[in-house]
Amino acid sequence: MPKLTFIDADGTTRTIEAQTGLTVMENAVQHDIPGILATCGGSCSCATCHVYLTQEWFEKLGALSLEELDMLDTAHDLEPTSRLSCQITMTADLDGLVVRMPEGQH
Ligand code: FES
């Protein structure tokens, strides 16, 4: 199982064995990771699953859908490597993925 690491705004780090086929958001919810609210349940309509990636992972994951870009526009504290974690599906290739949560999203 690929490892997936979450870093809180306060720097607390949690690494889980992620389930492939589920999104980063779904893995977070399954493991009670704070800072991923996911109030819309993953339908790309709330932006409360906002995370930051490193530049390297952001590029590796490729282009965002227009739907995700539109919803990200409504997120607070947007950064160039912002993503919605409900739009990233875990695969074996994503082993070692690290996501950081924005301050204030808890
Ligand atoms: Fe709502 Fe990701 S869970 S946009």
Side-chain angles (χ1 to χ4, degrees):
M1 286 174 132
K3 290 203 185 321
L4 170 59
T5 297
F6 298 89
I7 305 176
D8 282 0
D10 68 5
T12 304
T13 299
R14 296 174 182 83
T15 299
I16 64 167
E17 303 275 341
Q19 195 172 324
T20 56
L22 295 184
T23 65
V24 170
M25 176 280 278
E26 289 167 329
N27 273 285
V29 169
Q30 275 196 352
H31 287 83
D32 293 322
I33 303 291
I36 306 272
L37 304 181
T39 54
C40 79
S43 59
C44 200
S45 56
C46 73
T48 62
C49 64
H50 179 200
V51 294
Y52 306 123
L53 306 184
T54 62
Q55 186 64 36
E56 188 183 3
W57 276 113
F58 186 81
E59 287 169 13
K60 185 170 178 177
L61 284 172
L64 286 65
S65 69
L66 283 179
E67 189 184 19
E68 182 177 356
L69 280 170
D70 279 352
M71 190 45 55
L72 266 175
D73 272 346
T74 71
H76 297 288
D77 303 322
L78 212 57
E79 291 186 4
T81 61
S82 287
R83 290 290 312 260
L84 294 178
S85 60
C86 70
Q87 302 301 303
I88 305 171
T89 300
M90 282 304 294
T91 63
D93 283 352
L94 299 191
D95 183 37
L97 178 65
V98 178
V99 304
R100 195 164 48 83
M101 278 77 90
E103 201 166 359
Q105 184 172 278
H106 48 74

